[in-house]
Each structure stands twice: as C-alpha cells, then as structure tokens.
Amino acid sequence: MDLKLDRRVAVVTGASKGIGLAVTRTLLEEGARVVAASRTGSPELDALACADLLHVPVDLMDREAPAHVIAEAVRVFGGLDVLVNNAGGPPPGVTLPRSSFVDASDAEWEAVFQFNLFAVVRAIRAAIPAMLERGGGSIVNVSSGNARQPSPINVDYGAAKAGMNNLTKVLSEEFGPKGIRVNTVSPGPVRTAWWTEEGRVADTLAAQAGTDRDTVMDRLVPEMMGLSTGRLAEPQEVADVVVLLASPRSASTTGAEFAVDSGFLKGL
C-alpha cells in the first residue's frame, strides 16, 4: 500500500535506536525525507545514510534543542509535514524501574518530566507554524501503556506519559480544523535497549528474581505483565503503526490512542 509519504519531511526524535530507528527506516523506505534527532548516532542509523536523511545530534533536555531540530528540517528540506515525538524513558542520571514511589526525588521527577513531556511540548510548539505553512501535517506522540496502567516502579514516567496523552487530545481539538492531526501510540514492553542493554531493565529484574535476562524477557515479563501474545513487541511493530498515522492514509484519524502492547492493557 502506498502511504503517500513520498518527499514528505519528517522529524523523528530518539532516532538512533529502538522504535525511533525503526520509524526512521520505515519513513525512508516510504520515500520521506527524515531529520533524525538523538544525542548520539549509532551504527544502525549510520547504515541508513542517504541524501534524504539528516542526523541532528541534540540533547532534548536542552530547552532550545527541540526548536533547533525543527529549524534544521525547514532549512535543509524546506518545511515540515510529520513530527514523531519518540524520545522518552529515563533521562541521564535517572534509573528506572524504581522499587517504590518514595525512591524518586524532586530532581528526578523534574528530569523525567523535562524529557518525556516538556521536550514534546517544545517540539510541537516549534512544529505547528511550519506545518501550518504547508497546509497541515501529522504529529505522532509515542506514549506508554503506563500512562493508563499506573505502576509504582515507574510512577514519574507514567505520570509524564499521561500528560502526553492529555496533550494529544487537546491539540487534536484545537488544530484539527487547521489540518494538523495529533495521535498517540502507546507501546507496552518492547525489545529495545531500555530492556536489552547491559545493566538496564532486564538485568535489574533478573537480579531481583535470581535468574537471567533471557528468562526475564522470554517468560517472566510476559507472565508478570499479562501479555496476551506471550512476548514483548518488536520495534518494527510499533513503527508500522506510527508511520501509518503519519501518512495521509490516516487523514480522518486524530485525537486517537493506539496500543501496541502485546495485550498489556485490559481495560476499556
């Protein structure tokens, strides 16, 4: 199916690995021109190098960084049609999951909100004028199942993502009549670096359970989180939904939330 993304200009944050990398790759395959924003590059992102890909190294904790990324998209590719706010998770200096709500300090709460919510607000604020100049666009915010299924071990992260979901609804109402669609994709556990890298979530849970990381990801997490499919999602499975929402093929979809979570969320 032609997603009608040929020559469209997209910004993807957190683009060097995981879901962001998969979104970047898929947009390029669909003919889009992509500005990939991340703190650093990666061999996988480098492998995508082409005339239609621009990597902008930025730290989204810097208040000026989101606007800089949008400005680069306009400068290099002439405008902006799609914004994918994918960057998220624990910012530098913050470790998730926690053992309890009381483990998170004020500084950690502020850092998590800066990275997971305020950077998104700043990116959207910068993107809207550029999209309006093109007659509209699509914003896709990558949230989390924890926005609607609260967890005491990720309480600050879940609260920030819940704010993102609320923001999506508000923006879809205000800017839908002006041609800008805003939607949310909420992954559950996904086989990304947050889980798989040494010292990250899988290792933390493995140490607590007295087992190994493969057992955690293949058996314990699917059981503990009640995953209907029995497995963690793959980044590409999330990316496919993100890119469809970015596409004009989803022209009548706005203010919606799509769970790509292996059946994690059970509520209506």
Side-chain angles (χ1 to χ4, degrees), residues 122-134:
R122 293 175 186 127
I124 294 172
R125 186 186 292 132
I128 284 174
M131 289 184 173
L132 291 176
E133 286 186 6
R134 307 269 275 199

Side-chain angles (χ1 to χ4, degrees), residues 146-244:
N146 283 142
R148 291 202 289 124
Q149 183 62 50
S151 167
I153 64 175
N154 291 317
V155 60
D156 43 353
Y157 172 73
K161 291 297 191 181
M164 173 189 279
N165 289 13
N166 186 284
L167 176 68
T168 297
K169 287 287 189 181
V170 171
L171 292 170
S172 70
E173 283 294 302
E174 181 174 354
F175 292 99
K178 300 178 182 179
I180 298 176
R181 298 181 298 108
V182 192
N183 292 289
T184 300
V185 175
S186 293
V190 181
R191 282 188 179 269
T192 64
W194 190 10
W195 285 90
T196 61
E197 283 184 351
E198 185 174 353
R200 303 298 286 273
V201 179
D203 283 347
T204 299
L205 296 178
Q208 294 172 354
T211 186
D212 60 85
R213 65 164 64 182
D214 289 336
T215 299
V216 165
M217 289 186 288
D218 294 341
R219 182 172 62 82
L220 292 187
V221 169
E223 291 176 359
M224 179 177 64
M225 299 185 71
L227 304 184
S228 302
T229 64
R231 65 174 180 84
L232 277 67
E234 297 294 334
Q236 188 63 51
E237 294 169 332
V238 183
D240 288 341
V241 177
V242 170
V243 174
L244 179 59

Side-chain angles (χ1 to χ4, degrees), residues 27-52:
L27 285 168
L28 289 170
E29 290 171 351
E30 292 294 330
R33 293 172 288 177
V34 183
V35 175
S38 61
R39 285 190 188 91
T40 61
S42 68
E44 295 82 5
L45 184 61
D46 291 344
L48 300 178
C50 64
D52 289 333

